[in-house]
C-alpha cells in the first residue's frame, strides 16, 4: 500500500478529527494498517475503534470498504465524516437500485473515499464487480465478533467476507471488536484469513 504525502497521523487526528492525542493502541493499529498489514483491533466500546480505519483512509491511496452490521451506525458515521469534509456513503436497503449504482460508480471512478456496506451486500454481483474494479486500500470489518458469534447462524452473510479476500487477496484487512475471548480471536483470524495480524 503506497502512502500519500499527507501529514503525520497525529496531524490528521488534530486537524480533521479534532482530538489532541491518540487513545491507547490507536496509533499502533493505524501504523500497522498504513504499512499494509492485516490488523485485529480489540478495544473497549467507546475506545475509538472507528478512528482506526477512518484516519488511515486519509493517509493512503485508494478506497476503503467498511462492513458494518447496523444501518443506523453506518449512517451516523457517514454523517460525521461528511461534516468533516470526508467523502463517505453507505449502501443500505432504503436506496433504489439507481442510487446504489450511482454510489458504486462514484466509489470506483469518483472522489468517494469510504463506502459502508452491510455484510449482506457482499452477495450482490453488482457490488462484487465494482469492488474488483476499484482501487481498494483496505477492508475494515467493524463488530468483527459477528463473524463468529452470528456468522455461523444468525448473520451467515458475515462469512461471505472471505469472498472479498478471494477477489483481492493483496488487500489488507482490519477487523475491529470490543469482544474477544482467545477462541473468538482465533475464529476471527480464521474466518477472515488474517495473515499474522
Amino acid at each position: 500500500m503506497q502512502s500519500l504525502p499527507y501529514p503525520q497521523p497525529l496531524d490528521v487526528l488534530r486537524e480533521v478529527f479534532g482530538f489532541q492525542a491518540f487513545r491507547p493502541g490507536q496509533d499502533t493499529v493505524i501504523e500497522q494498517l498504513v504499512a499494509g498489514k492485516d490488523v485485529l483491533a480489540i478495544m473497549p466500546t467507546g475506545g475509538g475503534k472507528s478512528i482506526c480505519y477512518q484516519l488511515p483512509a486519509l493517509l493512503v491511496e485508494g478506497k476503503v470498504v467498511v462492513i458494518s452490521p447496523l444501518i443506523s451506525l453506518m449512517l451516523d458515521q457517514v454523517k460525521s465524516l461528511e461534516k468533516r469534509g470526508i467523502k463517505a456513503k453507505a449502501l443500505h436497503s432504503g436506496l433504489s437500485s439507481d442510487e446504489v449504482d450511482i454510489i458504486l460508480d462514484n466509489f470506483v471512478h469518483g472522489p468517494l473515499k469510504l463506502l459502508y456496506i452491510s455484510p449482506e451486500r457482499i452477495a450482490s454481483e453488482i457490488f462484487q464487480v465494482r469492488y474488483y474494479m476499484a482501487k481498494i486500500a483496505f477492508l475494515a470489518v467493524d463488530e468483527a465478533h459477528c463473524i463468529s458469534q452470528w456468522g455461523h447462524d444468525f448473520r451467515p452473510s458475515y462469512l461471505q467476507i472471505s469472498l472479498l479476500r478471494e477477489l483481492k487477496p493483496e488487500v489488507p484487512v482490519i477487523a475491529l471488536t470490543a469482544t474477544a475471548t482467545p477462541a473468538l480471536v482465533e475464529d476471527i483470524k480464521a474466518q477472515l484469513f488474517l495473515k499474522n495480524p
Side-chain angles (χ1 to χ4, degrees):
M1 199 168 7
Q2 187 182 0
S3 294
L4 293 177
Y6 285 137
Q8 293 300 311
L10 189 57
D11 298 329
V12 178
L13 184 75
R14 289 172 176 165
E15 291 167 27
V16 179
F17 293 94
F19 299 112
Q20 290 310 301
F22 285 110
R23 290 183 181 174
Q26 283 180 325
D27 52 347
T28 306
V29 167
I30 289 165
E31 184 182 298
Q32 294 298 309
L33 187 56
V34 170
K37 296 179 179 168
D38 286 348
V39 178
L40 175 54
I42 303 162
M43 297 178 162
T45 301
K49 288 188 289 294
S50 57
I51 289 283
C52 292
Y53 59 84
Q54 290 173 351
L55 190 151
L58 305 180
L59 296 173
V60 296
E61 207 175 336
K63 312 299 180 95
V64 174
V65 172
V66 182
I67 298 168
S68 177
L70 300 169
I71 291 174
S72 58
L73 186 64
M74 289 195 271
L75 295 178
D76 283 350
Q77 293 207 5
V78 165
K79 194 173 171 185
S80 172
L81 288 165
E82 286 177 331
K83 270 196 221 165
R84 293 184 163 92
I86 300 165
K87 306 247 182 252
K89 289 286 178 206
L91 294 182
H92 55 84
S93 53
L95 298 172
S96 70
S97 57
D98 283 350
E99 287 170 317
V100 168
D101 213 33
I102 289 166
I103 290 170
L104 286 171
D105 271 348
N106 197 350
F107 183 65
V108 175
H109 305 292
L112 189 57
K113 190 67 174 167
L114 289 110
L115 179 65
Y116 285 76
I117 66 165
S118 69
E120 287 75 17
R121 184 69 58 174
I122 297 166
S124 151
E125 189 179 344
I126 189 172
F127 173 75
Q128 288 178 26
V129 168
R130 299 308 219 303
Y131 178 82
Y132 187 75
M133 290 169 64
K135 182 176 173 135
I136 306 291
F138 62 86
L139 182 64
V141 182
D142 206 1
E143 307 296 341
H145 58 274
C146 297
I147 201 166
S148 183
Q149 292 181 334
W150 295 351
H152 301 305
D153 40 48
F154 176 60
R155 206 75 185 255
S157 49
Y158 255 88
L159 297 174
Q160 295 186 322
I161 296 169
S162 60
L163 286 176
L164 301 183
R165 293 236 68 175
E166 287 169 30
L167 284 172
K168 288 185 177 270
E170 74 287 356
V171 169
V173 172
I174 176 169
L176 306 108
T177 182
T179 312
T181 62
L184 184 55
V185 165
E186 291 311 311
D187 201 18
I188 291 169
K189 284 189 205 171
Q191 299 293 340
L192 293 176
F193 300 104
L194 298 183
K195 298 177 281 257
N196 303 313

